[in-house]
Amino acid sequence: SFTDIYYEILKDGTTPDTCRFITIVDMTQLYDRSDIARLLYNIGKYQPKVIGLDVCFDDEGENIIGNDSLIHVIEKFNNIVFSSKMFDWKDDSIGWTKEVHSFFYDATDIKEGTVNMPRTLYDNIKRRVPLYELFNGEYKPSIVTQLANNYAGSNIIKNRKEDVNINFSPTVFRILQYDEGEEHPELISGQVVLVGGVYDDTDFHWTPIGKMSGVELIAYGLQSVMYNNEPKYLPMPMLAIVSLLIILIIEVLQHIYLEHMSKSRNIFVRYIIGSTYVLNIFTFFSTSILLAISFFIFVKYNLSINLAWSLSVIAFLGTSRNMHKALRDYFDAWNKKEK
């Protein structure tokens, strides 16, 4: 699975945390609905807390026996959450206007959750998971909300409607192949069991830690909700204050450095060590320390501090200082000429 990548990344001998309440069952090789129904039955008989199926059977097709088998399993187990998909967004007050259900939606009493994943404009990286989706003016629960509430046995999401920032701290999710459930019933009993294609190329998404299957993305989102450890972001006013303070600190450090170098009697120190090139190296190490501090805060407290603004300004401090000096010298020369 993709968690193998994490073992390559963590070279210091540590290993990623293992999620103890989620088990993923890979059904990449299953296409026949009779086989899928048999898989769900085999999972259900070991009494998982809830089953999340990252598959939408939108087309009834011609497999009558397979369809009947699915419906039989649905009627036997009432702890399966099926997927639905929404499309054709209108606006922020109406939301999505069309929805795709499984073919048995109207004929059976099933739980459904939306599997749409939000992304920002011009950015295809998935960082958040929705709790609810707005559909024709009404909110409908996502698959993560349905799974969380069913696992907890109560409405732990309550009235929260905004998306959840996914915590992508390296995690090992226990993955079983579709025919391994009989060998590991302890990984199913009392667990959240997510069923989907872990290695299905048609359902891969870019995330901050690389490509990931849709079912693993759901697992990360559910874990963030249940552990309540989603990354937090500084409010805009606080971020602006922090950015200004960082810029001021770097500017003061640069000024002290230049003043100290310019007063040296050593020509090498005054012209080489005090040059713009060496100053940039000094600034690089200063900003590296700031990045290390922000990373520590993120790892320790799940608080993300966006340093893009401050680092962008810091990158032009030297250029701005030289431009200011050039303009000042020009106007001084102009005033002397006028006099």
Side-chain angles (χ1 to χ4, degrees):
S1 87
F2 290 100
T3 52
D4 295 335
I5 300 174
Y6 305 145
Y7 288 111
E8 295 297 325
I9 295 174
L10 302 176
K11 298 293 187 180
D12 58 355
T14 60
T15 57
D17 293 332
T18 300
C19 184
R20 300 295 179 182
F21 74 98
I22 298 176
T23 297
I24 299 175
V25 177
D26 176 38
M27 53 168 290
T28 305
Q29 301 299 323
L30 287 186
Y31 304 102
D32 188 272
R33 291 182 178 179
S34 297
D35 294 334
I36 297 174
R38 188 178 301 108
L39 170 64
L40 293 176
Y41 178 83
N42 290 335
I43 293 173
K45 70 182 182 181
Y46 291 115
Q47 299 181 341
K49 208 67 174 290
V50 61
I51 303 172
L53 191 60
D54 187 27
V55 179
C56 184
F57 302 97
D58 52 316
D59 183 13
E60 185 172 357
E62 300 179 356
N63 188 351
I64 299 176
I65 296 177
N67 292 343
D68 290 341
S69 299
L70 276 174
I71 293 174
H72 175 73
V73 172
I74 293 167
E75 292 174 345
K76 183 174 180 61
F77 302 107
N78 62 355
N79 61 343
I80 304 176
V81 179
F82 291 88
S83 299
S84 65
K85 300 176 183 178
M86 295 186 176
F87 57 99
D88 280 357
W89 177 269
K90 186 173 183 181
D91 54 47
D92 291 337
S93 61
I94 302 296
W96 304 100
T97 58
K98 295 181 181 179
E99 187 175 16
V100 174
H101 303 278
S102 293
F103 69 90
F104 43 76
Y105 174 77
D106 294 324
T108 56
D109 183 19
I110 64 171
K111 298 184 183 74
E112 266 194 344
T114 62
V115 292
N116 295 64
M117 288 291 175
R119 65 182 180 90
T120 56
L121 189 62
Y122 307 120
D123 184 3
N124 200 35
I125 295 180
K126 303 297 188 296
R127 294 183 174 89
R128 296 173 291 123
V129 64
L131 295 177
Y132 288 88
E133 291 284 4
L134 187 61
F135 178 71
N136 286 329
E138 297 182 358
Y139 284 98
K140 290 198 171 187
S142 70
I143 191 169
V144 168
T145 295
Q146 291 279 39
L147 292 171
N149 288 341
N150 279 269
Y151 180 75
S154 61
N155 183 11
I156 64 171
I157 303 301
K158 298 181 180 178
N159 296 322
R160 178 177 175 179
K161 296 295 190 298
E162 66 271 17
D163 297 341
V164 170
N165 300 311
I166 300 176
N167 189 325
F168 283 105
S169 298
T171 303
V172 173
F173 293 103
R174 301 165 302 184
I175 299 178
L176 298 176
Q177 294 304 307
Y178 63 89
D179 56 352
E180 293 180 333
E182 301 282 344
E183 302 173 14
H184 301 282
E186 74 281 359
L187 299 183
I188 295 177
S189 178
Q191 303 289 297
V192 175
V193 179
L194 301 179
V195 182
V198 178
Y199 307 105
D200 185 358
D201 292 339
T202 62
D203 188 29
F204 271 43
H205 306 270
W206 281 107
T207 72
I209 58 175
K211 266 190 171 183
M212 183 179 298
S213 65
V215 67
E216 286 185 299
L217 196 56
I218 292 173
Y220 268 104
L222 178 60
Q223 179 179 244
S224 301
V225 171
M226 298 302 296
Y227 288 166
N228 193 28
N229 62 352
E230 63 171 306
K232 305 296 191 301
Y233 295 90
L234 279 182
M236 188 59 68
M238 184 63 68
L239 179 60
I241 294 173
V242 170
S243 299
L244 289 174
L245 286 175
I246 291 174
I247 295 168
L248 178 61
I249 290 171
I250 296 297
E251 167 60 23
V252 170
L253 290 176
Q254 288 187 359
H255 177 74
I256 293 174
Y257 177 84
L258 291 174
E259 284 290 317
H260 184 70
M261 293 299 107
S262 63
K263 293 178 181 179
S264 175
R265 295 182 178 181
N266 189 305
I267 297 178
F268 177 80
V269 172
R270 191 165 61 248
Y271 290 102
I272 303 300
I273 305 300
S275 66
T276 302
Y277 178 77
V278 177
L279 177 64
N280 289 337
I281 297 176
F282 170 79
T283 303
F284 170 78
F285 284 107
S286 302
T287 53
S288 297
I289 294 173
L290 290 173
L291 288 171
I293 293 172
S294 67
F295 180 74
F296 173 80
I297 293 173
F298 178 76
V299 172
K300 187 72 174 177
Y301 303 104
N302 289 317
L303 178 63
S304 176
I305 303 175
N306 187 355
L307 297 179
W309 288 7
S310 55
L311 292 180
S312 298
V313 174
I314 290 170
F316 289 98
L317 281 179
T319 303
S320 301
R321 189 182 297 107
N322 291 335
M323 184 177 294
H324 173 264
K325 183 177 182 302
L327 289 173
R328 185 186 61 190
D329 292 344
Y330 172 78
F331 284 111
D332 286 346
W334 178 271
N335 289 333
K336 289 179 181 180
K337 180 181 179 181
E338 289 296 316
K339 291 179 180 179

